[in-house]
Amino acid sequence: MGILKDRFKVKAEASSAELKDLLKQHGNKKIGEVQLSQIYQGMRGITGLVSETSLLDAKEGIRFRGYSIPELQEKLPKIPGGTEPLPEGLFYLMLIGELPDDEAVAYITSSWQRRSHVPNHVFAAIDALPVTAHPMTMFVTGIMALQTESNFARRYAEGMNKKDYWEAVFDDSMDLLARLPRVAAYIYRRKYRNNQHIQPNGLLDWAGNLAHMLGYEDESFKELMRLYMTIHADHEGGNVSAHTTHLVGSALSDPYLSLAAGMNGLAGPLHGLANQEVVKWIMEMQKELKTEVPTKKQIETYVRKTLSEGKVVPGYGHAVLRKTDPRFTAQMDFAKRHFPEDPLVQIVWNVYDVVPPILESLGKVKNPWPNVDAHSGALLVHYGMVEYEFYTVLFGVSRALGVLASLIWDRALGFAIERPKSVTTELVKSWLQGKDEIWGE
Ligand code: NMX
Ligand code: MLT
């Protein structure tokens, strides 16, 4: 079957048996209470999902199978002479639950190289869109066009046994991950580089090859892509892209359909699109203030203006985190090591000094600190990637690692179709008068 699939099978069978036992013994234990306001406010704080690949702590930030971002940077395999972790290693960790050795990472790199062929109709589907279409629209179109290749869809139509679902999802996920960099690079070169495409380099790792196909050969950009692809990969199961992929997958929609749905969620400005919004916001500020280097006082005035116009400050706040996002810090450290004098990076750091006290003073923002999106765009601009509408595609290529690893686990553990109970406000009012029950079966 291949070392990754073999190892996953052993882990999944053990976890499945353990879970059955756990639920038999403790399935009726209460894990919390839900207040009426929570169901009107984005289900915030309701524990309602299981996602094995990572866990978010409000104060500490994300841990992937128990490892923080600095720990990943230290412990995951790197290219010879490199300093950033290889995302292949993170995928192994999320899937298998253990740190990989160099050999396991090399296995994934070569497996993704072998699976990376993208059929011509996918490029034709992207080409059918006007070049003015948003890169995320092109990305989702590309993923949907790739769905013709789904093993899961084909095998389901042939009458696959449910115990084999995970294996077909595994194959689709590996194929998709292998193909996404090619699709992303195609979109970039089509929209911004006059359709001058660059063939993959079979000697490079997954993120290094993405950098190459995008047209960025600087070794430190390749290192940035390795870090970028690692830190954006997963943020436990409740964020919009992960939750959507899981939800759609629970209907046994194949991984292509499920990932495309998740990517549509990532394309929202309160989620992954915030990375483009941050750079757009800074560029608009520079234009409006007629200066390349706004002072902190000028930034403060611009932040207050943004808020007074009923807009959010992009890159700040979080539904769960209550401190500076460690993904922001990892990117700040990268910039400090590689280009501390970069003017846009300097602005990002000045914004970091200015924004939190202002948001805090509003008295309603639960987290005034920066999230991952506050920093990522400035790093890309440094290397010349100024086309900010493309940034969410890069986030999406990375996020696929986490949500697809999770999807494989979903099918291996036999998770049910997701179908929570909803109510109407009429029913809520009638329940408040003691006339009706509000809970479902
Ligand atoms: N700027 C202005 N107002 C904000 C901000 C912000 N950055 N963050 C939260 N608020 C407001 C929010 O709009 C809400 O206002 P109202 O009651 O008038 O509707 C109030 O503060 C309370 O919101 P919270 O409970 O703090 O935040 P919530 O959990 O609802 O939303 C975000 C979380 C991330 C959607 C929100 O902080 C936000 O809109 N941030 C800016 C967009 C952004 O950076 N998104 C990227 C998130 C990371 N990612 O990649 O997905
Ligand atoms: C993410 O990476 O998905 C974002 O930080 C949003 C979230 O966790 O809700």
Side-chain angles (χ1 to χ4, degrees), residues 56 232 234-235 238-241 266 271 318-321 325 327 371-372 395 399:
L56 184 60
H232 286 79
D234 211 32
H235 220 227
N239 68 75
V240 172
S241 50
L266 193 74
H271 190 20
H318 201 273
V320 180
L321 273 170
D325 191 332
R327 299 171 297 178
N371 59 58
V372 64
F395 192 158
R399 183 50 55 95

Side-chain angles (χ1 to χ4, degrees), residues 34-43 46 423 428 438:
V34 177
Q35 287 170 3
L36 185 55
S37 59
Q38 288 176 286
I39 67 169
Y40 281 90
Q41 288 165 356
M43 298 194 279
I46 300 177
V423 290
V428 168
I438 203 169

Side-chain angles (χ1 to χ4, degrees), residues 44 270-271 274 307 312-313 315-317 319 364 366 371 373 395:
R44 204 74 79 257
L270 296 189
H271 190 20
L307 294 170
V312 294
V313 179
Y316 282 76
K364 65 172 184 179
K366 298 198 186 64
N371 59 58
D373 299 315
F395 192 158

